[in-house]
Amino acid sequence: MARIKNCFRDIVDILAPDGVSSGMWRICLLNSDLLVSSGNDIVATVAELLLFGKSPNLQLPQAGVTAVAFPGTAKDYNMIDDERIRGPLTSLTSKSGRTLEKGVINRTVDFAKRNMDSIACIDGGIRHSKVAFPLDAVRETVASETGQIC
């Protein structure tokens, strides 16, 4: 529930129900297509499971990112880092914006940042070092590719 509240507060920016009244949340999640009616049951959609589920892999074994970094541009067996990144896609943040727990997208961006080469440039006689790709571009790529698993 904390991740769902977080999403409505910070990302969707709509007024979410106060408290944990299951009836009001059920209506809100049904209207957002995060829950659907299936016969007499109300069930989570794949989107809700991927975004907010504690362990989406239990129902969707393919969910997540397997990240591998190699020392050069050719894929070989000499990898320098690897990580199986599993869990909900979204991060959990406090009302002040502090990250309490990173989701798959942010953890994948962290992996890329950790393994990305830096580029040195001279600006006005001062040497600066920057990452090879803008992290916003890396994040957008990760977010768009994780959407492909749906």
Side-chain angles (χ1 to χ4, degrees):
M1 277 309 292
R3 286 182 196 278
I4 293 171
K5 288 179 186 178
N6 211 149
C7 178
F8 278 89
R9 180 188 73 222
D10 299 337
I11 300 169
V12 181
D13 196 28
I14 64 169
L15 186 61
D18 289 330
V20 291
S21 168
S22 62
M24 292 302 293
W25 272 107
R26 183 175 290 124
I27 292 168
C28 188
L29 294 173
L30 281 165
N31 289 339
S32 301
D33 292 328
L34 293 170
L35 291 178
V36 293
S37 295
S38 176
N40 292 332
D41 296 325
I42 294 178
V43 296
T45 62
V46 171
E48 183 179 31
L49 183 61
L50 290 172
L51 289 169
F52 311 118
K54 287 183 182 180
S55 300
N57 304 63
L58 296 178
Q59 301 300 320
L60 302 165
Q62 73 277 20
V65 173
T66 301
V68 181
F70 297 96
T73 57
K75 183 177 176 182
D76 62 21
Y77 293 102
N78 186 26
M79 61 185 167
I80 56 175
D81 194 5
D82 70 310
E83 185 177 351
R84 287 177 43 94
I85 304 169
R86 304 293 185 257
L89 290 176
T90 59
S91 293
L92 181 60
T93 59
S94 67
K95 287 183 181 181
S96 66
R98 186 173 61 89
T99 301
L100 303 173
E101 184 180 319
K102 291 185 177 184
V104 168
I105 293 172
N106 286 345
R107 289 174 48 213
T108 304
V109 171
D110 288 348
F111 178 91
K113 182 180 178 182
R114 179 172 73 236
N115 289 288
M116 193 182 314
D117 290 333
S118 61
I119 298 170
C121 59
I122 304 293
D123 182 22
I126 300 172
R127 183 177 190 270
H128 295 280
S129 182
K130 63 180 184 176
V131 293
F133 301 102
L135 290 179
D136 287 344
V138 173
R139 180 178 173 67
E140 287 302 315
T141 301
V142 170
S144 67
E145 288 303 312
T146 54
Q148 298 300 315
I149 59 176
C150 298

